[in-house]
Amino acid sequence: MKILPSRSTAGFSVIVFILLVIFPPPICYAHDDPNASVPSLGALKTDAPLKADGILDEPFWKDAETGSNFIDMRTDKPAKQQTLVRVAYTRTHIYVAVECLDDKIGDVHASEQREDREFKGDDWVEVHFDPIHTHRSKYAFFSNPLGTRADASEGPSGVFNRGWTADWELGAKILEDRWVFEMSIPLKIMNYNRKDGQTWGLNFTRFLVRTDETSFWSFNPTNFYKPRYFGHLTGLDLADSEFDRNWEITPYISSRLDYNSDTDAFFQTGVDVGFRLTPSITTAWTLNPDFGQVEADDDTIELRDTERFLPEKRLFFREGDELMNMQHMLYYSRRFTDIEAGARVSGNWDDYKFAYLNIQGDATHDETRHGNSSVFRLLQGVGEKSTLGYYLTDSEFDDGHSRAASMDSELFITDDFKFRSQTTIADDRNEDDLGTIAKDSIDYLGNAAFVYDKYPWNCSMGYLAITNEFNPTLGYIPRRDIFGPAFFTSYRQKSDDRWYKDFMISFNTAYYENGGGETALRDYKFDADVIFHNDYGVFASQDFDYHAPYRNTRSVAGVSMNNSDYWKSMDISYGVGEFEETYYDEITFGKRIKPFERLPIRYEFTIRFEDKPTDENDTIWLNRIVFDYYFTDRMWVKTSLQHRSNNIHNVSVIYGWEFVKNAHWYMVFNSVDHGAGDEEAGQSVFTKIVYTF
């Protein structure tokens, strides 16, 4: 077996070991003291049902404790437009009532009617729950003034898993001086403990477009959204809560017609099954799952010399996906492209969070490999804030194997200062079509960094080491064979009484050598963005990137208008640079518009003039138009038109209809061409019927 040099990783591992000895990780649990110095709200127990209609006419709301005193993040003072919150619960549900006071209710921003979309341009409220109260994860439930739902989960990495979604009820009303909503959230959709006297982590966030005001019920200037700064929801007696396994069975039938020079028809059926093993552990099983992409991925013309990362949207990876986020991604679920069967289990066990998957099918990373993959992830809580992570994967393919073992940490030295690390060993072997060994090596990755994060500053300084062939099949590692330091700092300040409303400046640099000691990468990047009180802004950035053997540069400057109102905003920028010896000038124009409430449109046009080293000139342009039209809240059409020069394009027209509750019919037209050699180019019509019960 070939062992590749790991120049710096051995010393790195010793450093990490010494630091763990100096800062030993005591295994203890997050506090649940209801007298801690954070806001506290008592939950009212009731047996009464809730009609989630935004009308607070249920008698128990009069007896429920009311929370308020939201803090404006810009001023660190009570918000000018206050919010009132209440929480009640039964043996099966958590009830939430929120009143958003507004002295100019006629100027409320509310337009999004489709579920699980970001509320761009809308007023909104986010309700955060940390039921296990570990201070490291949360469930997020959103509402806008129209009562449109959105939800997500979040793990210790702080990255939203928007693929997580659940069935819960929401209703909202816009009144003369406020907008009001009620949520009825089943306990069975969240991981929680069945015991009395519980305290959950709780927070509320409200965004008001008109005044560009973001306010929090429990506010801390270090990091606004993190569960470790949540308030407390107290008095939860859930020992007698009704344990529901929450069975979800989703069969589907789909067909696709591809037509180019030949016409091919495909028929597919499959089933997904999910349920709870305990109130805090879920499992899922799948046969021939439906992984058809109903919404196309964004197309770009960014000049990149690395693979693009795309977020996960598929149902099977919904639970536990938030645990897989690591600074260097050893697991990238998009590698699984054609699954024959799969099983998953994930959840909480005391102060541990875990996820395990076993998948039989194809994995694609440069090439497609068939076999069985097992993935295990464990996160261990350390104290009230710190985390240790462990990761193991074993993929046994027809042409070899890919294995990885890793440990990562996020250890808080103070509330604002932490140490972050990741060490990984990978074992990869694969043969080519002739049976010749194409790769057989053990490779390493090591990373350590110190991070300071306290509003308005965020800074990090670290060292990274990745050996030449470190590239696990299930991972997403854009660069390899690099060793060296990196530094990042940013300053962002929002203000009511200074000359700006929002000011941001950042600097990022990395200096990496390869295994031979030669400079492989040298990056410097500056960004600045200022938004004035008249809602106009200016922005600029400068990149100097030496990616051996190329010296790339990019300079961009632009202006923006109507920044507070997403659907009135507009920006235009000009850029000039060099990428791999090709010089270019670039103009970009972006506009968001909503001619009427049921028709939101996002438009972007980019044109680039290239001067190539062969003395050829080329003009590259991209038109991108994305718009939705809602016939009703259960029937809609989404169109994505993305067309470049040279006939490279991605056109999707999607029709969706929920014809009965939990039953959907989709009809999709796609026309795709990603350039010369694109084997997937062509047109197709896809239809699918799916029902969940």
Side-chain angles (χ1 to χ4, degrees):
M1 177 177 291
K2 178 183 177 184
I3 307 295
L4 294 179
S6 56
R7 243 168 36 95
S8 301
T9 47
F12 168 83
S13 300
V14 172
I15 292 172
V16 172
F17 176 77
I18 292 173
L19 287 168
L20 290 176
V21 171
I22 295 174
F23 304 105
I27 301 176
C28 56
Y29 305 102
H31 77 265
D32 58 359
D33 179 9
N35 298 315
S37 58
V38 293
S40 180
L41 184 68
L44 177 70
K45 191 167 188 176
T46 180
D47 294 325
L50 170 68
K51 182 180 180 181
D53 54 9
I55 302 174
L56 307 186
D57 55 356
E58 286 80 8
F60 58 79
W61 286 132
K62 296 180 181 179
D63 300 325
E65 182 179 344
T66 302
S68 188
N69 195 35
F70 277 54
I71 302 299
D72 182 353
M73 63 164 286
R74 179 184 287 112
T75 64
D76 202 8
K77 297 177 181 178
K80 295 178 181 178
Q81 306 295 331
Q82 274 298 320
T83 308
L84 310 177
V85 297
R86 300 178 180 88
V87 177
Y89 71 101
T90 69
R91 295 177 62 241
T92 58
H93 287 74
I94 292 285
Y95 299 154
V96 180
V98 176
E99 300 176 79
C100 299
L101 307 182
D102 196 330
D103 56 17
K104 293 184 178 180
I105 196 66
D107 294 333
V108 69
H109 286 65
S111 58
E112 184 62 69
Q113 299 182 58
R114 189 165 162 214
E115 296 180 357
D116 284 327
R117 302 279 288 274
E118 291 186 56
F119 295 137
K120 294 181 177 179
D122 281 10
D123 295 348
W124 52 261
V125 169
E126 176 185 0
V127 181
H128 318 246
F129 284 120
D130 176 10
I132 305 296
H133 202 201
T134 63
H135 296 174
R136 298 177 185 88
S137 59
K138 71 176 183 181
Y139 295 95
F141 302 89
F142 294 83
S143 176
N144 69 357
L146 300 178
T148 303
R149 302 184 316 169
D151 50 30
S153 64
E154 180 182 296
S157 69
V159 177
F160 259 155
N161 171 19
R162 294 192 177 274
W164 185 87
T165 188
D167 189 14
W168 49 283
E169 295 182 3
L170 171 67
K173 289 286 184 182
I174 300 177
L175 307 178
E176 291 183 356
D177 63 345
R178 69 195 66 193
W179 63 277
V180 184
F181 69 81
E182 293 175 299
M183 292 178 175
S184 178
I185 303 172
L187 289 168
K188 66 184 180 181
I189 69 174
M190 298 182 288
N191 295 340
Y192 75 100
N193 293 319
R194 294 180 74 201
K195 61 181 182 181
D196 289 339
Q198 287 191 61
T199 296
W200 286 14
L202 174 70
N203 208 357
F204 297 86
T205 305
R206 178 184 176 186
F207 178 63
L208 182 62
V209 172
R210 185 183 78 252
T211 59
D212 192 26
E213 181 182 76
T214 304
S215 57
F216 295 81
W217 176 64
S218 181
F219 175 72
N220 185 289
T222 295
N223 204 314
F224 318 116
Y225 294 97
K226 291 296 178 270
R228 62 180 178 272
Y229 298 120
F230 283 6
H232 288 158
L233 180 63
T234 63
L236 290 161
D237 294 327
L238 297 174
D240 66 342
S241 64
E242 185 177 300
F243 175 46
D244 190 325
R245 295 200 180 274
N246 195 27
W247 283 89
E248 288 188 356
I249 304 174
T250 307
Y252 78 93
I253 299 174
S254 68
S255 64
R256 189 179 84 238
L257 181 66
D258 294 345
Y259 54 95
N260 297 299
S261 55
D262 298 321
T263 300
D264 298 305
F266 303 89
F267 175 81
Q268 190 165 321
T269 184
V271 64
D272 286 280
V273 178
F275 60 94
R276 286 197 171 274
L277 297 173
T278 74
S280 60
I281 299 175
T282 65
T283 187
W285 303 76
T286 186
L287 289 174
N288 197 28
D290 172 26
F291 283 176
Q293 291 302 108
V294 174
E295 296 197 23
D297 296 314
D298 289 339
D299 193 9
T300 73
I301 62 167
E302 294 177 5
L303 289 175
R304 299 173 62 99
D305 53 352
T306 62
E307 178 186 8
R308 291 174 57 216
F309 174 80
L310 298 170
E312 182 58 77
K313 300 178 181 180
R314 300 174 297 183
L315 178 64
F316 178 73
F317 300 99
R318 177 177 63 183
E319 295 281 352
D321 195 57
E322 70 278 2
L323 306 183
M324 297 296 185
N325 288 297
M326 292 168 268
Q327 187 172 6
H328 298 279
M329 297 185 61
L330 306 176
Y331 167 85
Y332 179 31
S333 58
R334 289 273 192 145
R335 298 295 181 216
F336 297 111
T337 54
D338 187 4
I339 294 179
E340 299 159 12
R344 173 192 52 77
V345 61
S346 63
N348 295 75
W349 187 271
D350 289 333
D351 206 34
Y352 294 87
K353 297 179 73 70
F354 69 92
Y356 172 78
L357 299 92
N358 183 270
I359 294 174
Q360 178 72 26
D362 290 346
T364 301
H365 188 173
D366 299 329
E367 61 180 350
T368 298
R369 308 176 71 180
H370 179 269
N372 182 270
S373 295
S374 294
V375 179
F376 177 70
R377 174 70 165 158
L378 178 69
L379 291 172
Q380 172 191 351
V382 178
E384 292 186 4
K385 301 184 289 290
S386 301
T387 303
L388 292 176
Y390 312 91
Y391 173 84
L392 292 170
T393 183
D394 180 14
S395 296
E396 299 296 329
F397 297 115
D398 299 340
D399 61 353
H401 62 254
S402 179
R403 303 163 183 156
S406 181
M407 177 179 176
D408 57 283
S409 69
E410 189 170 88
L411 304 176
F412 281 82
I413 301 170
T414 69
D415 282 349
D416 312 317
F417 194 63
K418 64 186 175 183
F419 171 74
R420 178 187 294 157
S421 70
Q422 184 175 355
T423 55
T424 306
I425 181 172
D427 174 16
D428 283 276
R429 176 187 173 91
N430 66 289
E431 302 175 355
D432 59 22
D433 295 338
L434 301 176
T436 304
I437 296 176
K439 182 180 181 182
D440 188 1
S441 64
I442 295 178
D443 304 284
Y444 304 91
L445 176 148
N447 180 231
F450 289 95
V451 180
Y452 176 79
D453 186 4
K454 184 173 184 178
Y455 179 80
W457 287 98
N458 181 266
C459 307
S460 67
M461 180 175 60
Y463 188 89
L464 174 63
I466 306 179
T467 55
N468 184 38
E469 295 191 31
F470 184 90
N471 199 21
T473 299
L474 300 186
Y476 175 76
I477 309 296
R479 299 198 177 281
R480 302 177 295 281
D481 192 22
I482 50 178
F483 306 85
F487 174 76
F488 169 80
T489 184
S490 70
Y491 176 91
R492 181 170 186 179
Q493 178 77 56
K494 292 177 176 288
S495 176
D496 271 348
D497 53 8
R498 301 186 182 182
W499 57 272
Y500 57 83
K501 183 167 69 173
D502 195 338
F503 175 78
M504 186 279 294
I505 188 168
S506 68
F507 171 69
N508 191 4
T509 183
Y511 183 91
Y512 297 145
E513 295 181 350
N514 61 22
E518 300 172 336
T519 302
L521 183 148
R522 184 171 58 243
D523 286 357
Y524 305 96
K525 183 174 183 179
F526 302 87
D527 285 285
D529 192 352
V530 180
I531 298 176
F532 304 101
H533 289 285
N534 61 5
D535 239 9
Y536 283 71
V538 294
F539 55 90
S541 67
Q542 176 68 64
D543 292 9
F544 299 97
D545 301 332
Y546 172 74
H547 294 180
Y550 300 106
R551 299 182 184 275
N552 304 322
T553 64
R554 179 174 173 84
S555 304
V556 177
V559 296
S560 56
M561 290 154 273
N562 300 316
N563 283 277
S564 293
D565 191 328
Y566 181 81
W567 294 112
K568 293 181 180 179
S569 63
M570 179 175 68
D571 55 75
I572 185 169
S573 65
Y574 173 74
V576 59
E578 176 186 357
F579 184 80
E580 297 185 358
E581 298 182 349
T582 294
Y583 294 90
Y584 64 89
D585 298 86
E586 180 180 277
I587 300 173
T588 300
F589 172 77
K591 183 73 181 78
R592 277 68 64 187
I593 187 172
K594 189 172 289 189
F596 51 94
E597 289 303 306
R598 293 183 179 271
L599 183 60
I601 300 173
R602 300 185 298 278
Y603 173 71
E604 181 178 316
F605 176 75
T606 301
I607 185 168
R608 176 178 287 149
F609 307 96
E610 293 189 346
D611 182 6
K612 299 182 179 180
T614 57
D615 292 331
E616 296 179 36
N617 294 317
D618 196 5
T619 299
I620 300 175
W621 54 263
L622 170 67
N623 260 312
R624 180 186 294 121
I625 304 174
V626 179
F627 66 88
D628 301 352
Y629 180 74
Y630 303 96
F631 299 98
T632 70
D633 58 354
R634 297 183 181 274
M635 184 185 297
W636 48 269
V637 170
K638 176 179 178 179
T639 302
S640 175
L641 308 173
Q642 302 177 92
H643 199 280
R644 301 188 203 175
S645 53
N646 303 325
N647 201 37
I648 296 175
H649 63 269
N650 188 333
V651 177
S652 299
V653 180
I654 306 165
Y655 169 80
W657 178 30
E658 186 179 9
F659 55 92
V660 297
K661 185 174 176 57
N662 297 325
H664 293 82
W665 174 44
Y666 299 100
M667 177 71 76
V668 183
F669 167 78
N670 276 314
S671 177
V672 177
D673 186 349
H674 291 158
D678 183 12
E679 297 179 356
E680 299 180 359
Q683 292 78 40
S684 66
V685 175
F686 172 82
T687 185
K688 177 177 69 174
I689 295 177
V690 59
Y691 180 69
T692 300
F693 59 90

